[in-house]
Amino acid sequence: MVEAHPEMELYVGMDVDPTALEIGRGHIEAFLAGREANGGELRAYTHVKNFKYIKQVLGSLDESLAVGSSGVDGILIDLGMSSMQVNRSNRGFSVLQDGPLDMRMDPKATLRAEDILNSWPELEVGRILRDYGEESNWQFLQKQIAKAREMGGLHSTGDLVKLIQRKCTISKGRQGWIKTATRVFQALRIAVNDELRVLEDSLHSSFDCLATGGRLAVVSFHSLEDRIVKKTFLELIHGGEADDEEDDDDNLTLPDIDDEDEPWFNQRVQGRNGIVLTKRPITPSQEEEKLNQRCRSAKLRVIQKA
């Protein structure tokens, strides 16, 4: 982004994972070195913080950045895991590699997936699988997890995967258990990091920090996240609860926008506090999916502050 916008004067990067931030900081420093050699000026800062603390972070740099019309021009929130996190078995995110049942985005956090599976009430574990993983066989898995506690508990991703594999019939094959395991791992990761509540808080805080005409763009990777982004965007522009009809993509009757400079959106939702620029989310093109298969589930939504 900083390469595409030479007019940028201030860049602030935030990530709750210090490893991800360290990698990003390396790229930023390399770019800044080249930019300074060419006479460009850009202030860049990185913070090991969740986006729900964006007001605190921006306020520490300049109090005017965290409020109203003097805020920032653009914010991008990229949700979900990175390939780096998935590929490191010691983080506990991968269904294909054995590792600890961790799943913490923030290594300093205390709650781990192992704690939920072995200590939380059985009904609460079932609710997590149902609501956060959208797993149809959550009741059966809930009972199997409870039985596993009697045998000493679940202490590695391999233990959990084996439990799931026993649940899946032979007819479903490898893809059957992988899909189930992916949903279960997603559910536990969301619960460990309280991701959905944090997302909603982050959207409100980020919108507050935008300057007039500023934009907030959010990339989500599963339906639960996208649903919250869509609903919260509508609430933000209307200053309250999202209208039921406007919350339904198929019922929206909105004007087309003919803008050659921004052909990436076709319709918008106008509210007194802003505009949702993406009636429907923008999804990856076939060319993008060829470059990165993991982007295939990504959805981009953008809101602009009035």
Side-chain angles (χ1 to χ4, degrees), residues 1-255:
M1 288 194 297
V2 294
E3 189 173 8
H5 293 278
E7 76 280 8
M8 189 183 295
E9 298 176 356
L10 173 68
Y11 174 89
V12 181
M14 298 171 61
D15 202 300
V16 74
D17 185 340
T19 303
L21 190 132
E22 182 181 352
I23 294 170
R25 183 67 199 176
H27 292 308
I28 293 167
E29 289 177 347
F31 176 81
L32 288 176
R35 184 163 177 165
E36 289 172 0
N38 294 322
E41 291 186 6
L42 172 67
R43 290 183 296 147
Y45 304 91
T46 55
H47 294 262
V48 184
K49 286 284 187 181
N50 193 291
F51 263 91
K52 68 180 180 179
Y53 299 115
I54 189 169
K55 288 184 180 181
Q56 175 187 327
V57 169
L58 293 177
S60 69
L61 300 174
D62 184 339
E63 287 186 6
S64 66
L65 293 176
V67 291
S69 59
S70 299
V72 296
D73 296 317
I75 299 172
L76 170 63
I77 300 179
D78 183 3
L79 302 172
M81 298 178 295
S82 69
S83 297
M84 175 273 295
Q85 291 166 325
V86 176
N87 294 337
R88 296 188 178 186
S89 59
N90 65 315
R91 302 298 298 272
F93 292 117
S94 175
V95 303
L96 299 177
Q97 301 180 67
D98 192 22
L101 278 166
D102 195 316
M103 303 192 192
R104 292 172 295 174
M105 291 290 189
D106 178 2
K108 293 182 180 179
T110 56
L111 180 63
R112 300 171 301 162
E114 183 175 359
D115 301 324
I116 293 174
L117 289 168
N118 295 317
S119 304
W120 280 26
E122 182 182 336
L123 291 177
E124 182 65 8
V125 173
R127 183 195 67 80
I128 288 170
L129 298 178
R130 181 194 66 201
D131 295 349
Y132 296 163
E134 299 182 296
E135 170 56 43
S136 59
N137 291 308
W138 62 272
Q139 288 177 306
F140 178 82
L141 288 170
Q142 168 191 313
K143 292 176 182 177
Q144 294 305 306
I145 290 168
K147 288 181 180 179
R149 294 177 180 181
E150 299 172 2
M151 305 297 292
L154 300 165
H155 303 288
S156 71
T157 56
D159 290 343
L160 181 56
V161 165
K162 287 176 184 176
L163 181 149
I164 294 168
Q165 286 175 326
R166 289 196 296 270
K167 168 262 167 195
C168 294
T169 60
I170 296 176
S171 61
K172 287 188 176 181
R174 185 171 186 267
Q175 289 304 311
W177 75 258
I178 286 181
K179 288 181 179 178
T180 299
T182 299
R183 290 191 290 268
V184 170
F185 274 56
Q186 171 185 296
L188 290 169
R189 192 198 80 222
I190 289 173
V192 166
N193 299 286
D194 197 16
E195 292 181 20
L196 301 186
R197 182 165 58 181
V198 167
L199 171 57
E200 191 167 351
D201 291 345
S202 298
L203 295 175
H204 282 275
S205 295
S206 296
F207 189 74
D208 287 345
C209 293
L210 289 176
T212 300
R215 291 178 177 178
L216 167 62
V218 183
V219 183
S220 62
F221 289 87
H222 57 77
S223 60
L224 295 176
E225 290 175 339
D226 182 59
R227 217 173 291 150
I228 289 174
V229 176
K230 179 177 72 171
K231 181 175 181 292
T232 305
F233 274 10
L234 290 170
E235 291 174 355
L236 287 169
I237 64 168
H238 294 306
E241 293 296 323
D243 185 279
D244 289 340
E245 288 190 2
E246 287 182 325
D247 196 35
D248 184 346
D249 285 338
D250 295 326
N251 289 333
L252 288 170
T253 54
L254 303 162

